[in-house]
């Protein structure tokens, strides 16, 4: 990196460091309740919430994003655009001046990341390891994109429900999955997904997601509730555990189903092309 690039990066780091006082992290949720038999009403509620508002097809919004890993702690601002189930694009800015530092494009199988700080273009496959390099979370693209959208689709059938616990303001459905189990936490009053806890076959939690601050929107004359605040934490379950990776998203504004057009990534010119699969953590991480 040349001298000018170093000065810019140092300035960005100092600006980012100045915002640590209001740094947000994932808030834990106590999952307790009394086990009850699955009722017809509870089954209908589960089916309704599991659909995750299928009328929502796309999102275009602006959000504050906090990323915390065992080695890094960053706050950035993002323009987040998602075509549900297909692709996403994040334009990342940092600091009080709102300087753009990265333009990221996610397809179902590929990643394109324009590192504007150093005029580099990273190209690679869309896998968990590469997502961890650029977003701090090794979650896989389907779950990450649904988390960014605030609409996680629960695909398991009613027959997968192993138990139901009734809490003060929640219903907790424990369901069997191919890789272990899920605790699906539902608020029965407003019929929304409060949290999702994913566990492996050993019963160890691997991923925890919280959905908060729901707001009512109208799409095609239909009212639906969507969360403005989303929290995601991934736990290390390996022998060489390296701690938690957290992602917190707070939307300032957004619109849904604005456009169905492709989020095409404009390839920058005169940049150094780098294989993302071989790269280390990127500068903003």
């Amino acid at each position: 990196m040349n001298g000018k690039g170093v000065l810019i990066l140092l300035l960005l780091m100092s600006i980012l460091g100045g915002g640590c006082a209001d740094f947000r992290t994932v808030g834990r949720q106590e999952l307790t309740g009394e086990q009850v038999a699955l009722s017809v009403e509870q089954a209908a509620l589960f089916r309704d919430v599991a659909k995750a508002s299928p009328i929502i097809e796309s999102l275009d919004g602006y959000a504050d994003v906090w990323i915390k890993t065992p080695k890094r702690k960053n706050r950035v601002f993002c323009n987040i655009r998602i075509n549900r189930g297909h692709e996403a694009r994040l334009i990342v800015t940092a600091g009080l001046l709102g300087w753009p530092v990265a333009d990221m494009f996610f397809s179902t199988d590929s990643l394109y990341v324009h590192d504007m700080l150093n005029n580099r273009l990273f190209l690679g496959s869309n896998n968990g390891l590469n997502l961890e390099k650029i977003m701090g979370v090794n979650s896989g693209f389907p779950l990450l994109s649904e988390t960014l959208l605030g609409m996680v689709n629960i695909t398991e059938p009613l027959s997968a429900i192993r138990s139901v616990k009734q809490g003060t303001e929640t219903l907790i459905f424990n369901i069997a999955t191919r890789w272990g189990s899920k605790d699906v936490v539902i608020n029965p009053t407003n019929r929304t997904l409060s949290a999702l806890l994913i566990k492996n076959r050993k019963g160890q939690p691997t991923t925890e997601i919280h959905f908060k601050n729901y707001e009512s929107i109208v799409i095609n004359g239909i009212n639906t509730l969507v969360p403005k605040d989303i929290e995601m934490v991934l736990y290390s379950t390996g022998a060489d555990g390296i701690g938690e990776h957290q992602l917190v998203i707070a939307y300032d504004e957004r619109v849904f189903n604005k456009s169905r057009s492709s989020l095409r990534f404009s390839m920058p010119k005169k940049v150094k092309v780098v294989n993302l699969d071989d790269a280390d953590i990127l500068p903003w991480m």
Side-chain angles (χ1 to χ4, degrees):
M1 187 187 302
N2 59 31
K4 183 178 179 181
V6 172
L7 288 175
I8 291 175
L9 182 55
L10 288 175
L11 179 59
L12 281 173
M13 291 175 66
S14 66
I15 293 174
L16 284 169
C20 290
D22 60 350
F23 195 89
R24 289 178 56 176
T25 56
V26 173
R28 294 301 188 271
Q29 182 172 352
E30 189 85 20
L31 297 182
T32 59
E34 179 183 354
Q35 187 160 326
V36 296
L38 177 66
S39 67
V40 174
E41 293 79 10
Q42 291 169 349
L45 172 64
F46 179 86
R47 281 195 299 262
D48 185 37
V49 173
K51 294 177 183 177
S53 298
I55 60 173
I56 295 179
E57 299 176 351
S58 67
L59 173 147
D60 189 343
Y62 297 88
D64 287 292
V65 178
W66 293 264
I67 300 172
K68 183 176 183 293
T69 74
K71 296 182 179 180
R72 304 278 178 161
K73 187 176 180 181
N74 295 94
R75 178 184 180 181
V76 296
F77 190 72
C78 287
N79 172 210
I80 300 175
R81 300 178 63 195
I82 299 171
N83 280 337
R84 191 170 188 174
H86 300 290
E87 55 190 2
R89 187 173 181 182
L90 277 67
I91 298 176
V92 183
T93 59
L96 300 176
L97 301 179
W99 287 340
V101 296
D103 186 356
M104 310 177 187
F105 177 77
F106 307 72
S107 70
T108 54
D109 57 4
S110 303
L111 287 175
Y112 301 80
V113 182
H114 183 196
D115 171 13
M116 298 177 179
L117 286 175
N118 301 294
N119 199 32
R120 295 179 297 181
L121 177 64
F122 291 86
L123 305 177
S125 53
N126 191 345
N127 57 45
L129 292 178
N130 283 341
L131 287 176
E132 184 172 331
K133 292 175 186 177
I134 66 174
M135 292 293 293
V137 290
N138 183 347
S139 65
F141 178 65
L143 182 58
L144 176 62
S145 61
E146 290 186 344
T147 299
L148 291 171
L149 186 67
M151 298 280 110
V152 175
N153 187 23
I154 309 298
T155 58
E156 288 79 12
L158 284 175
S159 59
I161 297 176
R162 299 192 299 194
S163 66
V164 182
K165 290 183 179 180
Q166 186 166 1
T168 305
E169 297 179 350
T170 60
L171 283 172
I172 306 167
F173 296 84
N174 179 264
I175 58 178
T177 69
R178 181 179 179 184
W179 307 111
S181 66
K182 293 178 183 177
D183 284 333
V184 180
V185 186
I186 294 176
N187 183 328
T189 302
N190 56 22
R191 305 178 73 85
T192 58
L193 180 65
S194 297
L196 178 66
L197 182 62
I198 301 174
K199 301 177 183 178
N200 60 22
R201 289 172 179 163
K202 296 180 180 180
Q204 300 169 314
T206 60
T207 305
E208 186 173 348
I209 311 172
H210 303 272
F211 303 93
K212 302 177 179 179
N213 194 14
Y214 274 85
E215 65 175 350
S216 178
I217 63 171
V218 179
I219 298 179
N220 300 330
I222 300 174
N223 286 293
T224 189
L225 292 169
V226 292
K228 293 186 69 175
D229 297 344
I230 303 158
E231 301 174 349
M232 183 182 205
V233 57
L234 277 80
Y235 301 96
S236 174
T237 57
D240 58 345
I242 55 174
E244 300 177 358
H245 289 65
Q246 298 188 9
L247 179 67
V248 178
I249 305 153
Y251 280 98
D252 297 312
E253 57 181 278
R254 58 191 167 166
V255 293
F256 296 93
N257 295 2
K258 177 180 179 181
S259 173
R260 298 181 184 178
S261 59
S262 175
L263 307 177
R264 292 180 181 177
F265 180 77
S266 299
M267 300 293 285
K269 299 178 180 179
K270 297 181 180 180
V271 295
K272 179 182 179 181
V273 178
V274 181
N275 185 346
L276 181 58
D277 298 322
D278 299 328
D280 202 347
I281 293 175
L282 302 188
W284 55 89
M285 283 299 300

